[in-house]
Amino acid sequence: MPQFFITSSNIRGNRCLIRGDDFRHLAAVRRAREGDTLLLRDEVGVLYEARIVSVGSDSLEAEITATHRGSAPQVDITLCLALLKGGSFDVALEKAVEVGVSRIVPVVTERTIPRRADDAGRMRRWSRKAMEAAKQSLRERVPAVDPVSSFGEVVESFCDGARIIAHPGAAGSMREFLRAERAVRAVLLVGPEGGFSPGEIRAAGDAGWRPLNFGFSHLRAETAAPLLCGIIIYEWGA
């Protein structure tokens, strides 16, 4: 069973009250009943094992049976990902959350295919998908999804940690870089289907970003983003 996110204000003594969308999902989709077990995670990452003691018309109550403190944090990764066609951005976002990113920044680049969009609507959708992926993968926290930024804003706004721009034509090797360096914070910038323009690569380099190739087949953006995040976590994780 996936975990469900709560806040410490939902807990009184050893009891937790669940309402809203999570209650409706548990009651209508999972057919939760008295005696069923749940995994609950609060806003600071504490994991609770709980047993349902009552199910009402608009809420359920669970008894906490065990508490587990969070483990040492992994490397903090921000994924800056260019907007992609169709549902590809949504897929990349979900998989990046599953592998362990801390923050996702949607980016408009020179080669991003323009499209009209309901910004408020897609922010709600992306936040919901991040929540669902965090539940499924038992993440300690739900990664933040930022509003859409321009390439220039992203390049100039990050000043610390390892700043990597993924570029198949770069002279630098990501494998060599990750094994020679180590950081607790990384920012990874992944381009759209057509990659970054030469001007964007130069601008990123001038701002202190490291253009790095990943040394294997030319990947689709929705594949490259979560895969490269996973590689960084494997090399630099706690």
Side-chain angles (χ1 to χ4, degrees):
M1 175 177 287
Q3 67 185 356
F4 293 87
F5 287 96
I6 60 171
T7 63
S8 52
S9 61
N10 297 127
I11 300 174
R12 292 289 185 273
N14 69 335
R15 298 293 178 98
C16 179
L17 196 64
I18 299 176
R19 294 190 174 97
D21 290 342
D22 283 343
F23 166 73
R24 287 187 285 272
H25 177 79
L26 283 164
V29 178
R30 294 192 174 271
R31 305 291 183 183
R33 297 290 183 269
E34 293 180 13
D36 289 352
T37 57
L38 300 175
L39 294 178
L40 308 173
R41 181 87 67 174
D42 71 14
E43 69 275 18
V44 296
V46 177
L47 180 67
Y48 303 93
E49 295 178 39
R51 180 178 58 84
I52 297 174
V53 294
S54 66
V55 179
S57 59
D58 62 355
S59 66
L60 66 78
E61 188 175 33
E63 179 185 23
I64 294 171
T65 57
T67 302
H68 306 280
R69 301 291 169 179
S71 58
Q74 298 284 350
V75 58
D76 185 284
I77 297 182
T78 295
L79 171 63
C80 302
L81 176 61
L83 296 177
L84 306 174
K85 293 186 295 185
S88 296
F89 185 90
D90 293 27
V91 171
L93 179 150
E94 290 175 331
K95 299 308 176 186
V97 171
E98 289 177 17
V99 302
V101 303
S102 304
R103 177 182 173 193
I104 296 170
V105 182
V107 186
V108 174
T109 70
E110 287 184 28
R111 294 174 177 170
T112 299
I113 297 175
R115 58 184 177 182
R116 299 180 64 181
D118 172 9
D119 286 342
R122 65 182 179 181
M123 284 301 303
R124 288 193 296 270
R125 185 179 78 250
W126 291 336
S127 296
R128 184 181 70 250
K129 287 185 176 294
M131 170 74 80
E132 292 168 352
K135 288 179 179 178
Q136 186 63 44
S137 55
L138 304 184
R139 291 290 307 276
E140 289 191 3
R141 293 176 178 82
V142 181
V145 182
D146 287 14
V148 177
S149 299
S150 69
F151 179 88
E153 289 170 335
V154 166
V155 164
E156 296 297 332
S157 62
F158 292 95
C159 301
D160 61 347
R163 291 169 292 161
I164 300 168
I165 179 167
H167 178 48
S173 162
M174 182 168 289
R175 179 171 61 182
E176 293 175 3
F177 174 76
L178 293 177
R179 292 183 177 179
E181 307 285 341
R182 188 173 184 87
V184 297
R185 183 175 295 105
V187 187
L188 175 66
L189 182 50
V190 177
E193 290 84 350
F196 295 109
S197 71
E200 287 173 330
I201 296 297
R202 286 194 300 272
D206 291 345
W209 291 68
R210 294 288 297 268
L212 299 175
N213 74 71
F214 28 91
F216 39 85
S217 61
H218 195 100
L219 302 175
R220 296 175 67 93
E222 64 267 30
T223 304
L227 176 60
L228 297 179
C229 290
I231 290 172
I232 294 170
I233 289 171
Y234 177 81
E235 292 290 345
W236 287 356

